[in-house]
Amino acid sequence: MYEIAIIGAGPAGASAALFAAKAGKKTLLIDNDKGMTRRGWYENYYGISEIGGPDLVETGHKQAVKFGAELVAGQATSLEASGEGFVIGTESGATYEAKHVVLATGVLTDLAAAAGVTTKEGTEPRIKTVIASTPEGRTNIDGIWAAGTVAGMSVHAIITAGDGAKVAVNVISELNGARYVDHDLLKA
């Protein structure tokens, strides 16, 4: 069983997976390769002068995998409570079990709604529906979290990446039973 599974591997999902894996949590990242980030060009992403969407997404995936996240290409089709966590079904028929699930599905709320996660009207232009979540990323179902655009954040990639990191830190903190902080130092 994974400690944390993230559905959606754009900036919010990959950032969540990076933090979770770097914290030593058994982490799964599911990517359907259909996110809107892949279609963008970015000149407003902190630390990068300019980058195409496909390269930004690939970089995020590589960072998460570098720290131990398992990246699975596929479409999550179901999410159900099971035992001490959840079972995620995929289009290929594969299933995955996780204690916590972070939904970082961009503009898509169908999977969340089918799982019983409460949704609400979106406030961003062209985003009709989002997941109702707390500022920490919690949803109405204990163990299911939301991050990024699907959680009502701005569609800007830099904002969704930060939200994914924030939600991951909150999940990690809950798993650890103490507030988690990740700070690296320059090597001498």
Side-chain angles (χ1 to χ4, degrees):
M1 176 183 282
Y2 293 92
E3 291 173 277
I4 304 172
I6 298 107
I7 301 173
S15 184
L18 164 63
F19 270 77
K22 192 166 180 278
K25 303 303 176 195
K26 187 172 182 188
T27 304
L28 174 68
L29 179 60
I30 300 174
D31 179 30
N32 69 6
D33 197 28
K34 296 177 185 173
M36 67 176 120
T37 303
R38 289 189 175 278
R39 298 186 302 271
W41 177 255
Y42 300 90
E43 294 183 22
N44 61 352
Y45 200 97
Y46 177 78
I48 298 172
S49 60
E50 58 186 37
I51 192 168
D55 289 334
L56 180 63
V57 171
E58 248 345 273
T59 299
H61 292 178
K62 286 178 184 175
Q63 287 176 304
V65 168
K66 171 186 171 184
F67 290 108
E70 180 181 341
L71 176 62
V72 171
Q75 177 70 44
T77 55
S78 64
L79 174 59
E80 299 175 1
S82 175
E84 294 184 23
F86 302 91
V87 174
I88 302 162
T90 61
E91 199 170 58
S92 70
T95 60
Y96 304 92
E97 292 183 42
K99 184 169 177 67
H100 291 268
V101 176
V102 176
L103 298 171
T105 53
V107 298
L108 304 176
T109 58
D110 296 355
L111 180 66
V117 174
T118 302
T119 60
K120 64 180 186 176
E121 187 175 325
T123 58
E124 286 290 305
R126 298 182 305 275
I127 308 298
K128 295 184 190 296
T129 308
V130 297
I131 293 172
S133 60
T134 67
E136 296 78 25
R138 294 178 186 279
T139 70
N140 64 301
I141 298 176
D142 192 34
I144 298 181
W145 306 70
T149 301
V150 79
M153 293 293 113
S154 168
V155 298
H156 295 91
I158 190 71
I159 294 170
T160 63
D163 195 57
K166 174 195 76 178
V167 171
V169 166
N170 291 330
V171 177
I172 295 161
S173 297
E174 184 165 307
L175 286 167
N176 290 351
R179 188 71 181 156
Y180 173 75
V181 178
D182 178 6
H183 289 287
D184 296 322
L185 298 174
L186 284 173
K187 294 180 170 106

